[in-house]
Amino acid sequence: MVSRQVGTPLVLADDLSGAAETAAALGAHLRPELFLWPDVPTALSGRPIVVDLDTRHLPPADAEARTRAAVEALPSAAPLFKKIDSLLRGNIGAEVAPLAEAGALVVVTPALPQQGRTVVDGVLLDHGVPLDRTGLWALEPTLPPPRVAGVLGRLPISEIRLDAVRGPGLAEALAAAAGTVVVCDAETQRDLAAITDAGLRADPHVRFVGSSALARALAPHLTQPSEPAPVAPPRRPRGGVLYVLGTGSEAALRQADLLRERAAATGFTLPAPDLARLTPELAGELGRQLASPLGNRSMVVQVTRSSEVVPGSAVVAGLAALVTSAVAAAPGWPVRLVLSGGQTARAVLDALGRPGLTLVEEIHPGAVLMATDAGWLVATRPGSHGGPDSLWSIHQAMYTPFTEPGDTHE
């Protein structure tokens, strides 16, 4: 199969961890540029443009309006890639609608084989179990859709099954379906590669909608930038890492336990209602408590569940205020942040002034290490992604690329 080369893609994501994950999937050698809406470029640089629209938790009409505004405001690029949640959460139908106007070819598949998520007969499976039979939407306010098409609202739908994805006529089938939103089955990364290749042959201006795995399949088709990727400056690994876990999932709790054991990190837990009602005065006091040990050891901030229901937006706002206070109270600390959960990551970086972000490396699928224009290191990760040692792997990545002879750290 001959790879069709295309120019500069535009990637729109609905949360920050998804944006970072997609930038990493495209590859550090392509030097993706990561922006936080509404801070976006006005001209193309020849590098992939990745924008976090921060729409996951907006009302659907607002998510649609912001997506449309981004498509209209950002520089013309081809192809356009819309990153969506591999579990179909968020405003997917509302955000796909602006992409599907004027008869455009829109190809959708949320498959993420690296996490055991596949699409067969139009149904999203997690390790072989249909999404609506898993507990993966337990914290969502609605029930999961039984089919991928169920999140696309009233948009016209076409579906392409696995045998056609693996057959010789996929490009022709996609071209014939232009004007509809085409939902493709996919079980493997090879299937996703076939979909991207066929989509580009059917229409160079195709709009792809999917997980970071679909972006990974698109990467070989992208033009290599003329300038080499920048080299991150070395940093001595003094001081700890501040982990901010915006999820109370069992998987994340186990990951935090392993991290505390191996890294001699200190836990700092707060109930969700307390965070939601955090005053500036208390945020400052708790921030100083967090900052004090960071010169010598890592700290893990976790949210504990409560029977009291509080808005998630208020909880992440409390986390952001806490982190901002800690950073302000530790002026000599070489800031190292691990932000787990897209909404949490975006709230924290917004509160810290939206520092510019440069991709350093993908630690594992979903976990991405970045440097800021202020010299900080920031790692993001969706919720409870990764295995039991995910946070420990991130911890090591915070130090090992920058270690100099004779340096030690906890």
Side-chain angles (χ1 to χ4, degrees), residues 115 117 247 249-253 255 340-341 381-387 390:
Q115 293 287 329
R117 292 165 192 166
T247 174
S249 73
E250 291 299 323
L253 294 176
Q255 292 167 348
S340 184
R381 188 197 68 168
S384 53
H385 253 46
S390 170

Side-chain angles (χ1 to χ4, degrees), residues 37-368:
W37 180 267
D39 301 335
V40 293
T42 57
L44 294 174
S45 66
R47 297 153 58 185
I49 295 170
V50 184
V51 182
D52 168 30
L53 294 180
D54 195 28
T55 53
R56 174 75 65 86
H57 300 283
L58 290 181
D62 293 345
E64 181 175 349
R66 186 174 293 181
T67 304
R68 179 172 283 104
V71 172
E72 294 173 352
L74 287 161
S76 176
L80 191 151
F81 187 95
K82 179 69 184 70
K83 164 66 170 67
I84 61 172
D85 178 51
S86 64
L87 292 176
L88 300 177
R89 296 169 298 188
N91 296 298
I92 295 175
E95 295 172 12
V96 170
L99 278 57
E101 296 171 348
L105 173 60
V106 181
V107 179
V108 178
T109 180
L112 184 60
Q114 295 86 350
Q115 293 287 329
R117 292 165 192 166
T118 59
V119 180
V120 178
D121 293 333
V123 176
L124 177 62
L125 308 175
D126 182 77
H127 295 88
V129 179
L131 177 63
D132 63 349
R133 298 181 191 173
T134 70
L136 295 170
W137 271 45
L139 299 179
E140 298 300 308
T142 59
L143 295 175
R147 303 181 61 79
V148 174
V151 298
L152 295 170
R154 297 182 179 180
L155 295 170
I157 305 295
S158 298
E159 294 183 317
I160 294 183
R161 298 289 180 256
L162 201 58
D163 57 349
V165 167
R166 295 172 177 174
L170 180 56
E172 291 74 16
L174 290 175
T180 68
V181 177
V182 188
V183 178
C184 291
D185 285 0
E187 284 188 317
T188 66
Q189 194 65 33
R190 186 181 182 87
D191 294 333
L192 296 175
I195 290 168
T196 56
D197 180 78
L200 291 168
R201 285 190 285 120
D203 181 356
H205 297 278
V206 60
R207 278 102 190 268
F208 290 113
V209 179
S211 73
S212 61
L214 189 62
R216 197 178 300 274
L218 178 62
H221 298 277
L222 304 180
T223 303
Q224 179 79 25
S226 57
E227 299 178 10
V231 178
R235 290 171 173 79
R236 297 181 65 85
R238 59 188 176 85
V241 181
L242 179 57
Y243 293 81
V244 185
L245 309 184
T247 174
S249 73
E250 291 299 323
L253 294 176
R254 290 193 295 270
Q255 292 167 348
D257 287 343
L258 182 64
L259 173 69
R260 286 196 298 270
E261 175 186 339
R262 292 185 178 178
T266 299
F268 193 97
T269 60
L270 284 169
D274 290 357
L275 280 165
R277 292 189 284 266
L278 199 63
T279 65
E281 294 76 19
L282 186 54
E285 179 183 336
L286 293 177
R288 287 188 290 274
Q289 292 180 29
L290 273 178
S292 179
L294 282 172
N296 299 307
R297 68 175 57 198
S298 296
M299 302 290 292
V300 184
V301 178
Q302 292 177 260
V303 181
T304 57
R305 295 182 180 180
S306 168
S307 58
E308 180 183 349
V309 178
V310 293
S313 57
V315 174
V316 297
L319 285 171
L322 191 61
V323 174
T324 303
S325 297
V327 171
W333 173 52
V335 178
R336 290 188 184 89
L337 295 172
V338 176
L339 307 173
S340 184
Q343 189 180 14
T344 297
R346 180 59 190 260
V348 168
L349 292 183
D350 276 349
L352 290 171
R354 293 190 196 139
L357 299 169
T358 301
L359 177 67
V360 175
E361 66 170 319
E362 181 181 46
I363 302 166
H364 65 67
V368 181

